[in-house]
Protein backbone atom coordinates (compact mmCIF):
# COMPACT_ATOMS: atom_id res chain seq x y z
CA UNK A 1 0.00 0.00 0.00
CA UNK A 2 1.56 3.32 -1.08
CA UNK A 3 1.66 6.23 1.34
CA UNK A 4 -0.16 9.50 0.74
CA UNK A 5 1.99 12.01 -1.14
CA UNK A 6 2.90 14.91 1.14
CA UNK A 7 6.28 16.09 -0.21
CA UNK A 8 6.76 17.12 -3.82
CA UNK A 9 9.72 18.36 -5.80
CA UNK A 10 9.87 20.66 -8.80
CA UNK A 11 12.75 21.00 -11.26
CA UNK A 12 12.31 24.04 -13.49
CA UNK A 13 10.32 26.93 -12.05
CA UNK A 14 9.11 28.80 -15.10
CA UNK A 15 5.43 29.38 -15.73
CA UNK A 16 4.51 25.70 -15.51
CA UNK A 17 6.84 24.76 -12.67
CA UNK A 18 5.80 27.72 -10.53
CA UNK A 19 2.14 27.07 -11.29
CA UNK A 20 2.49 23.46 -10.15
CA UNK A 21 4.36 24.56 -7.00
CA UNK A 22 1.62 27.11 -6.28
CA UNK A 23 -1.07 24.44 -6.74
CA UNK A 24 0.68 21.97 -4.42
CA UNK A 25 1.42 24.46 -1.65
CA UNK A 26 -2.18 25.66 -1.76
CA UNK A 27 -3.18 22.01 -1.21
CA UNK A 28 -1.04 21.89 1.96
CA UNK A 29 1.94 19.99 0.53
CA UNK A 30 5.62 20.62 1.20
CA UNK A 31 7.23 21.85 -2.02
CA UNK A 32 10.98 21.71 -2.74
CA UNK A 33 11.99 23.67 -5.84
CA UNK A 34 15.40 23.13 -7.42
CA UNK A 35 16.72 26.16 -9.30
CA UNK A 36 19.92 26.80 -11.23
CA UNK A 37 21.09 29.82 -9.22
CA UNK A 38 20.28 32.36 -6.54
CA UNK A 39 19.08 34.78 -9.21
CA UNK A 40 16.65 32.17 -10.48
CA UNK A 41 15.36 31.58 -6.96
CA UNK A 42 14.71 35.32 -6.46
CA UNK A 43 12.87 35.62 -9.78
CA UNK A 44 10.82 32.46 -9.24
CA UNK A 45 9.93 33.38 -5.67
CA UNK A 46 8.74 36.79 -6.87
CA UNK A 47 6.51 35.09 -9.46
CA UNK A 48 4.89 32.94 -6.78
CA UNK A 49 4.47 35.85 -4.37
CA UNK A 50 2.81 37.85 -7.15
CA UNK A 51 0.39 35.00 -7.83
CA UNK A 52 -0.68 34.78 -4.18
CA UNK A 53 -0.96 38.56 -3.83
CA UNK A 54 -3.17 38.73 -6.92
CA UNK A 55 -5.54 36.15 -5.49
CA UNK A 56 -5.53 37.90 -2.11
CA UNK A 57 -6.58 41.18 -3.75
CA UNK A 58 -9.41 39.38 -5.54
CA UNK A 59 -10.61 37.86 -2.29
CA UNK A 60 -9.96 34.29 -3.41
CA UNK A 61 -7.67 33.51 -0.46
CA UNK A 62 -7.11 34.94 3.01
CA UNK A 63 -3.87 36.35 4.38
CA UNK A 64 -3.53 33.26 6.57
CA UNK A 65 -3.92 30.96 3.55
CA UNK A 66 -1.36 32.97 1.63
CA UNK A 67 1.16 32.85 4.46
CA UNK A 68 0.65 29.12 5.05
CA UNK A 69 1.14 28.27 1.37
CA UNK A 70 4.25 30.42 0.99
CA UNK A 71 5.79 28.87 4.11
CA UNK A 72 5.52 25.42 2.51
CA UNK A 73 7.68 26.38 -0.49
CA UNK A 74 11.48 26.21 -0.33
CA UNK A 75 14.15 26.89 -2.95
CA UNK A 76 17.58 25.33 -3.38
CA UNK A 77 20.22 24.86 -6.06
CA UNK A 78 21.05 21.45 -4.56
CA UNK A 79 19.17 18.54 -6.23
CA UNK A 80 19.82 16.40 -3.14
CA UNK A 81 16.97 18.30 -1.42
CA UNK A 82 14.64 16.17 -3.54
CA UNK A 83 15.83 12.90 -1.99
CA UNK A 84 12.77 12.38 0.24
CA UNK A 85 10.16 13.68 -2.20
CA UNK A 86 7.37 11.30 -3.12
CA UNK A 87 6.45 13.04 -6.37
CA UNK A 88 8.91 15.03 -8.50
CA UNK A 89 7.79 17.05 -11.52
CA UNK A 90 10.27 18.06 -14.22
CA UNK A 91 9.18 21.28 -15.91
CA UNK A 92 12.25 22.46 -17.83
CA UNK A 93 12.18 23.61 -21.47
CA UNK A 94 10.87 21.39 -24.25
CA UNK A 95 14.25 19.92 -25.24
CA UNK A 96 14.91 16.22 -24.89
CA UNK A 97 18.57 16.67 -23.94
CA UNK A 98 17.62 18.95 -21.02
CA UNK A 99 14.95 16.56 -19.78
CA UNK A 100 17.31 13.60 -20.04
CA UNK A 101 19.81 15.44 -17.84
CA UNK A 102 17.16 16.17 -15.21
CA UNK A 103 15.88 12.60 -15.12
CA UNK A 104 19.38 11.17 -14.91
CA UNK A 105 19.89 13.29 -11.79
CA UNK A 106 16.58 12.71 -10.03
CA UNK A 107 16.74 8.97 -10.81
CA UNK A 108 20.00 8.85 -8.83
CA UNK A 109 18.79 11.05 -5.96
CA UNK A 110 15.19 9.93 -5.44
CA UNK A 111 15.67 6.30 -4.44
CA UNK A 112 12.22 5.47 -3.06
CA UNK A 113 10.86 2.85 -5.52
CA UNK A 114 7.34 4.19 -4.96
CA UNK A 115 8.27 7.79 -5.79
CA UNK A 116 6.71 9.11 -8.99
CA UNK A 117 9.08 10.80 -11.45
CA UNK A 118 6.84 12.95 -13.64
CA UNK A 119 7.50 15.07 -16.71
CA UNK A 120 5.32 17.98 -17.75
CA UNK A 121 6.36 17.60 -21.39
CA UNK A 122 3.67 18.59 -23.85
CA UNK A 123 5.09 16.82 -26.89
CA UNK A 124 8.08 14.53 -26.28
CA UNK A 125 7.31 10.78 -26.00
CA UNK A 126 7.60 9.58 -22.41
CA UNK A 127 9.64 6.55 -23.46
CA UNK A 128 12.46 8.78 -24.73
CA UNK A 129 12.64 10.64 -21.42
CA UNK A 130 12.32 7.49 -19.29
CA UNK A 131 15.33 5.89 -21.01
CA UNK A 132 17.54 8.34 -19.07
CA UNK A 133 16.68 6.50 -15.83
CA UNK A 134 17.64 3.14 -14.38
CA UNK A 135 13.98 2.42 -13.55
CA UNK A 136 11.63 3.70 -16.29
CA UNK A 137 8.70 2.07 -14.50
CA UNK A 138 8.61 5.14 -12.18
CA UNK A 139 8.42 7.67 -15.05
CA UNK A 140 5.09 9.08 -16.25
CA UNK A 141 3.87 12.06 -18.22
CA UNK A 142 1.75 14.43 -16.12
CA UNK A 143 0.94 17.35 -18.41
CA UNK A 144 -0.58 20.37 -16.66
CA UNK A 145 -1.94 23.35 -18.59
CA UNK A 146 -1.17 27.02 -18.03
CA UNK A 147 -2.10 28.44 -15.57
CA UNK A 148 -1.82 25.21 -13.58
CA UNK A 149 -3.72 26.46 -10.48
CA UNK A 150 -6.71 27.38 -12.67
CA UNK A 151 -6.92 24.97 -15.61
CA UNK A 152 -8.86 21.85 -14.59
CA UNK A 153 -7.33 19.34 -17.01
CA UNK A 154 -4.22 17.15 -16.71
CA UNK A 155 -3.07 14.66 -19.34
CA UNK A 156 -1.66 11.44 -17.90
CA UNK A 157 0.59 9.40 -20.19
CA UNK A 158 2.54 6.25 -19.47
CA UNK A 159 5.24 4.69 -21.62
CA UNK A 160 5.43 1.00 -22.42
CA UNK A 161 7.66 0.68 -19.33
CA UNK A 162 5.55 2.71 -16.87
CA UNK A 163 4.23 0.50 -14.08
CA UNK A 164 0.44 0.45 -13.58
CA UNK A 165 1.09 1.35 -9.93
CA UNK A 166 2.90 4.52 -11.04
CA UNK A 167 -0.02 5.58 -13.22
CA UNK A 168 -2.53 4.79 -10.47
CA UNK A 169 -0.56 6.74 -7.87
CA UNK A 170 -0.10 9.74 -10.16
CA UNK A 171 -3.79 9.70 -11.07
CA UNK A 172 -4.90 9.49 -7.43
CA UNK A 173 -2.59 12.38 -6.52
CA UNK A 174 -3.69 14.63 -9.37
CA UNK A 175 -7.40 13.98 -8.93
CA UNK A 176 -7.71 13.41 -5.19
CA UNK A 177 -5.12 15.82 -3.77
CA UNK A 178 -4.94 18.49 -6.48
CA UNK A 179 -8.55 18.27 -7.62
CA UNK A 180 -7.90 18.00 -11.35
CA UNK A 181 -9.67 16.07 -14.09
CA UNK A 182 -7.45 13.47 -15.79
CA UNK A 183 -7.57 12.18 -19.35
CA UNK A 184 -5.23 9.39 -20.39
CA UNK A 185 -3.44 9.56 -23.71
CA UNK A 186 -1.16 7.27 -25.66
CA UNK A 187 2.59 7.85 -25.67
CA UNK A 188 2.69 9.68 -28.99
CA UNK A 189 3.91 13.21 -29.79
CA UNK A 190 1.45 15.84 -28.59
CA UNK A 191 -0.65 13.27 -26.71
CA UNK A 192 -4.33 14.35 -26.98
CA UNK A 193 -4.57 18.12 -26.63
CA UNK A 194 -1.51 19.30 -28.54
CA UNK A 195 -2.02 16.74 -31.30
CA UNK A 196 -5.22 18.69 -32.02
CA UNK A 197 -4.16 22.18 -30.94
CA UNK A 198 -0.74 22.66 -32.54
CA UNK A 199 -1.83 22.07 -36.17
CA UNK A 200 -4.67 24.55 -35.56
CA UNK A 201 -2.31 27.24 -34.23
CA UNK A 202 0.29 26.66 -36.94
CA UNK A 203 -2.45 26.81 -39.56
CA UNK A 204 -3.40 30.27 -38.30
CA UNK A 205 0.23 31.40 -38.53
CA UNK A 206 0.43 30.10 -42.12
CA UNK A 207 -2.76 31.97 -43.00
CA UNK A 208 -1.30 35.21 -41.61
CA UNK A 209 2.01 34.55 -43.37
CA UNK A 210 0.24 34.09 -46.72
CA UNK A 211 -1.55 37.42 -46.39
CA UNK A 212 -4.98 35.81 -46.55
CA UNK A 213 -6.17 37.80 -43.52
CA UNK A 214 -4.87 39.98 -40.70
CA UNK A 215 -4.20 38.68 -37.21
CA UNK A 216 -7.32 40.44 -35.94
CA UNK A 217 -9.48 38.99 -38.71
CA UNK A 218 -8.19 35.47 -38.16
CA UNK A 219 -8.89 35.66 -34.44
CA UNK A 220 -12.31 37.26 -34.93
CA UNK A 221 -13.19 34.52 -37.38
CA UNK A 222 -12.75 31.94 -34.62
CA UNK A 223 -14.17 33.93 -31.69
CA UNK A 224 -17.17 35.47 -33.45
CA UNK A 225 -17.74 32.77 -36.04
CA UNK A 226 -16.98 29.61 -34.05
CA UNK A 227 -17.59 30.72 -30.48
CA UNK A 228 -14.01 30.13 -29.33
CA UNK A 229 -13.13 32.15 -26.21
CA UNK A 230 -9.82 33.24 -27.77
CA UNK A 231 -8.49 33.40 -31.31
CA UNK A 232 -5.58 31.16 -32.33
CA UNK A 233 -2.98 33.91 -32.66
CA UNK A 234 -3.88 35.50 -29.34
CA UNK A 235 -3.77 32.03 -27.79
CA UNK A 236 -0.35 31.39 -29.33
CA UNK A 237 0.88 34.66 -27.82
CA UNK A 238 -0.40 33.60 -24.40
CA UNK A 239 1.23 30.15 -24.59
CA UNK A 240 4.50 31.57 -25.96
CA UNK A 241 5.62 31.34 -29.57
CA UNK A 242 8.87 29.70 -28.53
CA UNK A 243 6.87 26.98 -26.78
CA UNK A 244 4.61 26.52 -29.81
CA UNK A 245 7.65 26.22 -32.10
CA UNK A 246 9.40 23.73 -29.80
CA UNK A 247 6.30 21.54 -29.56
CA UNK A 248 5.80 21.65 -33.32
CA UNK A 249 9.42 20.74 -33.99
CA UNK A 250 9.31 17.80 -31.57
CA UNK A 251 6.14 16.49 -33.16
CA UNK A 252 7.48 16.96 -36.69
CA UNK A 253 10.75 15.19 -35.82
CA UNK A 254 8.80 12.16 -34.65
CA UNK A 255 5.94 12.03 -37.18
CA UNK A 256 7.38 13.83 -40.24
CA UNK A 257 3.96 15.27 -41.06
CA UNK A 258 4.17 18.80 -42.59
CA UNK A 259 1.21 20.14 -40.59
CA UNK A 260 3.40 20.00 -37.44
CA UNK A 261 6.39 21.88 -38.93
CA UNK A 262 6.68 25.47 -37.63
CA UNK A 263 6.29 27.90 -40.57
CA UNK A 264 9.08 30.38 -41.41
CA UNK A 265 7.22 33.35 -39.88
CA UNK A 266 7.04 31.60 -36.52
CA UNK A 267 10.72 30.69 -36.65
CA UNK A 268 11.71 34.30 -37.46
CA UNK A 269 9.61 35.66 -34.59
CA UNK A 270 11.22 33.25 -32.14
CA UNK A 271 14.69 34.16 -33.43
CA UNK A 272 13.78 37.83 -32.92
CA UNK A 273 12.51 37.11 -29.38
CA UNK A 274 9.00 38.26 -30.32
CA UNK A 275 7.58 35.30 -28.45
CA UNK A 276 4.25 36.66 -27.25
CA UNK A 277 2.73 38.15 -24.14
CA UNK A 278 5.64 37.30 -21.84
CA UNK A 279 7.97 39.31 -24.10
CA UNK A 280 5.57 42.21 -24.63
CA UNK A 281 5.13 41.47 -28.32
CA UNK A 282 4.13 38.58 -30.53
CA UNK A 283 1.31 38.74 -33.03
CA UNK A 284 0.02 41.57 -30.82
CA UNK A 285 1.67 44.18 -28.59
CA UNK A 286 1.22 44.04 -24.82
CA UNK A 287 1.79 46.60 -22.09
Amino acid sequence: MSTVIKRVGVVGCGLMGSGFADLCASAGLEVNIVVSSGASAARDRARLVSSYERRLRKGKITEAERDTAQALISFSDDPDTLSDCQFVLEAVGERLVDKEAVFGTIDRIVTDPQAVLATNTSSIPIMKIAQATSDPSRVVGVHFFNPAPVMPLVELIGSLHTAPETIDRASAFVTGTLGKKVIRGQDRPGFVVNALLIPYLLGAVRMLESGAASAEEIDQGMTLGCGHPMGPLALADMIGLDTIAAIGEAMYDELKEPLYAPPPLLRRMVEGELVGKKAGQGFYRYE
Side-chain angles (χ1 to χ4, degrees):
M1 180 70 70
S2 62
T3 57
V4 176
I5 293 172
K6 296 181 179 179
R7 296 181 303 281
V8 303
V10 185
V11 183
C13 196
L15 288 176
M16 295 310 303
S18 62
F20 174 72
D22 181 341
L23 179 65
C24 290
S26 296
L29 307 175
E30 296 177 28
V31 182
N32 299 300
I33 301 175
V34 172
V35 294
S36 58
S37 66
S40 295
R43 181 183 64 247
D44 298 336
R45 187 182 296 277
R47 182 185 293 116
L48 283 164
V49 168
S50 176
S51 175
Y52 284 114
E53 291 301 325
R54 187 164 52 250
R55 272 179 283 167
L56 179 63
R57 289 195 301 271
K58 293 181 178 180
K60 294 184 177 180
I61 58 173
T62 65
E63 290 187 3
E65 289 171 333
R66 176 202 62 189
D67 295 344
T68 298
Q70 289 182 354
L72 289 168
I73 300 173
S74 61
F75 290 83
S76 175
D77 59 3
D78 182 4
D80 286 339
T81 57
L82 303 175
S83 62
D84 64 347
C85 289
Q86 301 155 301
F87 186 105
V88 179
L89 183 78
E90 166 274 311
V92 301
E94 200 71 355
R95 282 166 37 93
L96 178 59
V97 64
D98 294 335
K99 294 180 183 295
E100 287 175 329
V102 170
F103 273 85
T105 299
I106 61 177
D107 176 63
R108 173 179 56 82
I109 291 170
V110 184
T111 57
D112 180 356
Q114 289 189 330
V116 175
L117 306 185
T119 173
N120 191 59
T121 181
S122 53
S123 61
I124 300 173
I126 308 305
M127 180 69 83
K128 289 186 175 182
I129 297 171
Q131 292 301 100
T133 72
S134 61
D135 183 8
S137 71
R138 296 194 295 166
V139 180
V140 63
V142 184
H143 180 213
F144 290 82
F145 293 83
N146 185 37
V150 176
M151 298 296 281
L153 184 69
V154 173
E155 288 182 304
L156 187 63
I157 308 98
S159 77
L160 294 175
H161 285 315
T162 305
E165 295 81 8
T166 300
I167 293 178
D168 290 345
R169 193 171 196 211
S171 180
F173 173 63
V174 170
T175 57
T177 303
L178 302 183
K180 300 297 185 181
K181 170 67 178 178
V182 162
I183 59 173
R184 299 193 182 189
Q186 293 184 349
D187 191 15
R188 63 182 304 278
F191 315 126
V192 175
V193 173
N194 280 324
L196 295 169
L197 178 63
I198 295 302
Y200 165 64
L201 299 181
L202 296 181
V205 177
R206 292 189 185 96
M207 181 174 284
L208 177 66
E209 187 175 48
S210 72
S214 68
E216 291 82 0
E217 290 168 331
I218 292 169
D219 280 354
Q220 287 175 358
M222 300 310 295
T223 57
L224 303 181
C226 296
H228 289 198
M230 184 178 292
L233 298 177
L235 177 58
D237 273 357
M238 187 182 78
I239 295 171
L241 304 192
D242 50 344
T243 300
I244 299 296
I247 295 171
E249 287 169 356
M251 296 173 71
Y252 179 74
D253 286 346
E254 178 82 8
L255 300 172
K256 297 299 187 289
E257 294 184 14
L259 76 165
Y260 297 122
L265 173 60
L266 183 62
R267 294 181 185 275
R268 297 297 86 78
M269 293 180 73
V270 172
E271 290 166 356
E273 300 182 355
L274 305 174
V275 294
K277 194 170 184 179
K278 61 188 176 184
Q281 185 174 350
F283 294 110
Y284 299 94
R285 289 184 178 273
Y286 302 89
E287 294 297 332

